[in-house]
Structure formats: structure tokens, C-alpha cells
Amino acid sequence: MNVRSGICVLGSLNMDLVCQLDSFHKPGETVTARAFHTYTGGKGGNQAVAAAKLGQKVTMVGCVGGDAYGAEYKKVLEDLGVNTQYLSVLPEEPTGVALIEVDKEGENRIVVVPGANARVDEARALEAHLAFMHCGALLLQMETPVESAIAAAEIAHFAGATVILDPAPAQPIPERLLAACDYVTPNETELAVLTGMDTSTAEAALPACRKLIEMGAKAVINKRGEEGALLVTPTGQNLFFGRRVLAVDTTAAGDTFNAAFATGLMMGMDEHDAICFANGAAAVSVTGEGAQSAMPTLGEAIAFVE
Ligand code: RIB
């Protein structure tokens, strides 16, 4: 009997400090923002919230500081029904923050100050081993120390869960981590950094995805925004077209994609249908401000893709 179920996320939790600007400014220039907001974010927390909004049973493994941001974030997760048993509150650390600028096209620039996220080490991952052993899918990113991602991925992989790695922010991926992941999901920029190759079009990105397979990835999903997503495996490739929407804020579109892809798989979709579902959910997520507020519910995502 398969007793694994739900989605486990190991990763970062940030408070996003967001300035909305007309356009990105140059070094030395002072500009006035149109608006400022704080939102809960961080790639790990975003993926947990997206999966929870899509109706999945979610466990979050990570760290926040013992400050007001940490308390606010924990409450946001608990209000969504996310299991925070393995969410540590570290009194001596600040919660991670992300300084985000969003221009009027909805594009963003992000600077992350890790704070408590830097304490998500291997020992903390091992404490959560039961969560990794029993989940149906594990979502990882690279905003927390890579040793914890390796430990979590290996436990989940050997237990038979689907392991999905978002290589963001881009940095070299250890072979052990690649070996324990079923899918690696870079966007264009991350794919270019990881391979040193041109990724500016889907056609150009194909050899780069193949190079990532040669480096040890089992399957690559290159997230390309409204252009769609390119799936490359050792035996083939498919381009799944994206949906054009009026983008207000593209922050966390990639996080929504990964959570929705995992959700699709957990709902019994094959990987092609799960990618189409993820393209749709990610498109909905960019139609509102902030990382998490415009992430769709399951009903909204299904209504959009149908
Ligand atoms: O992927 C988007 C996220 O990246 C933001 O929420 C920010 O916190 C950074 O981690």
C-alpha cells in the first residue's frame, strides 16, 4: 500500500519589501516609487502557499526569525492549513527579507537577505525525515543551504516521492542533488547560468536543456513565462505553450508553476497535463500584486485552463 501523500516543501521564507516603480533606475539615481507593500514570500514559502491554495496537504520545513515578520509568516501558513511542525522560529535570527522592485510591465528585480533561512542546515532537514519519507512530492529551491536540500532529496527519493528542484537562485547543482531529483525546473536565466549557453528562445534553449541532462538531470522543465514551458527528457522534448495575460507582478510565477506541477501529479495527471495545468496557474498568479495574493485556488486554476 502506498502511504505517501501530500506535498512537502523545504526552503526559504522571506518577508518581501516591494517597491512599485515606473522603470528600474540606474546606479546613483534616486527615484520615487508609486507604492510600497510588504508581502510574505520566499521561494519555499511561496511554493508551500501555492500548493495549499491548490488544495494540497502541505508540510513546510524551514526557519523564520523570532521577530514580527516570523510570527506573521507562521500565522499565514497556519491559516492556510500548512503543517508548521518543522518550521523553526529562531529567536536569535531575523526573518529573511527580499528587497523587490517591480516595474510597470510587472518585471522584477530581487535582492535577498537570508537571515534565518541560512540556518536551514542538514541537521534541521534530518529532523524532518518523516515528512520527506511520507510525502508524495518534495519541492526544493536553492535559497537555503544546499546540504539540507541534498539530505531531503535523498530521503524523499529513496522513499519513492517525486522530487522537484527549482534551481533558483542559480548556482552549481551538486551531482548528488541532481541524482535524487526527478525534475529540474530552471527559468531562462537560471538555465543560461547553469549551462553557459544561449537560452533566449525555446529553440535555443533545447541544447542547454540537453546539456543539463548530460550533467545528470533526469528531466528538465525550462519555465519560459508566457512563451510556455519546454520539457526535455533523455528520450524527447515537448514545448507547452503558455497563456497570455496582462501581467501586474511576475514575482513567484515560477514558484506557482512548481507547486501546480506537483499538485497536478498528486491529482493523478500525467506530466504533460500537469505542465499545462502549471502554465495556467502561473499565468493567473501574475495578474495581481505580490508573490502569494494572486496565486489561484484549485477552482480558479481549473476554470482558467479549461
Ligand atoms: O520567487 C520569488 C521570491 O524570490 C520572492 O517572494 C522573494 O522572497 C525571493 O525569494
Side-chain angles (χ1 to χ4, degrees):
M1 189 179 71
N2 184 356
V3 291
R4 282 179 287 101
S5 70
I7 291 178
C8 191
V9 182
L10 176 135
S12 59
L13 299 129
N14 296 330
M15 194 57 73
D16 290 352
L17 312 181
V18 184
C19 286
Q20 284 162 347
L21 307 166
D22 286 331
S23 55
F24 296 126
H25 57 300
K26 301 177 193 68
E29 191 183 9
T30 301
V31 292
T32 302
R34 283 185 285 118
F36 171 78
H37 297 286
T38 60
Y39 300 107
T40 45
K43 297 181 194 305
N46 290 341
Q47 295 186 10
V49 166
K53 287 182 86 169
L54 289 167
Q56 290 295 299
K57 193 179 88 180
V58 179
T59 297
M60 178 76 215
V61 182
C63 294
V64 292
D67 48 19
Y69 286 160
E72 183 182 338
Y73 211 139
K74 192 161 186 266
K75 183 169 184 323
V76 165
L77 294 175
E78 287 171 352
D79 286 351
L80 282 164
V82 174
N83 174 7
T84 57
Q85 181 185 355
Y86 303 107
L87 176 65
S88 304
V89 179
L90 307 180
E92 67 285 14
E93 297 284 356
T95 297
V97 291
L99 312 176
I100 303 184
E101 295 175 358
V102 180
D103 73 3
K104 61 177 186 295
E105 269 76 50
E107 295 296 332
N108 62 55
R109 288 182 176 182
I110 303 179
V111 178
V112 170
V113 187
N117 294 307
R119 300 274 304 277
V120 183
D121 55 15
E122 185 181 1
R124 219 169 281 282
L126 293 175
E127 278 168 21
H129 66 279
L130 288 177
F132 306 133
M133 281 171 67
H134 295 303
C135 67
L138 171 66
L139 297 177
L140 300 167
Q141 324 77 37
M142 303 197 80
E143 259 180 358
T144 43
V146 74
E147 296 73 24
S148 60
I150 294 172
E154 288 184 341
I155 295 167
H157 175 65
F158 288 115
T162 301
V163 182
I164 302 168
L165 171 67
D166 195 354
Q171 56 188 280
I173 309 172
E175 270 175 42
R176 266 177 71 189
L177 182 53
L178 278 178
C181 291
D182 297 282
Y183 297 94
V184 182
T185 66
N187 65 18
E188 292 165 47
T189 311
E190 291 143 8
L191 184 62
V193 172
L194 289 169
T195 62
M197 295 171 73
D198 177 21
T199 62
S200 54
T201 63
E203 199 181 4
L206 184 54
C209 292
R210 291 219 175 97
K211 181 164 178 191
L212 208 46
I213 299 266
E214 280 163 24
M215 289 160 72
K218 296 191 188 83
V220 176
I221 302 175
N222 173 213
K223 296 180 284 192
R224 306 193 59 83
E226 68 181 19
E227 203 188 345
L230 177 63
L231 169 68
V232 180
T233 66
T235 54
Q237 72 274 336
N238 287 85
L239 178 63
F240 300 87
F241 291 109
R243 295 281 293 273
R244 193 172 285 265
V245 290
L246 188 63
V248 173
D249 184 348
T250 57
T251 308
D255 299 326
T256 306
F257 182 100
N258 280 42
F261 177 62
T263 297
L265 296 180
M266 293 303 99
M267 290 171 65
M269 296 179 199
D270 65 24
E271 68 184 6
H272 289 197
D273 286 347
I275 291 173
C276 294
F277 179 66
N279 269 340
V284 175
S285 77
V286 308
T287 59
E289 288 173 6
Q292 297 172 2
S293 42
M295 287 171 174
T297 61
L298 182 60
E300 288 165 347
I302 289 172
F304 184 81
V305 294
E306 271 178 357

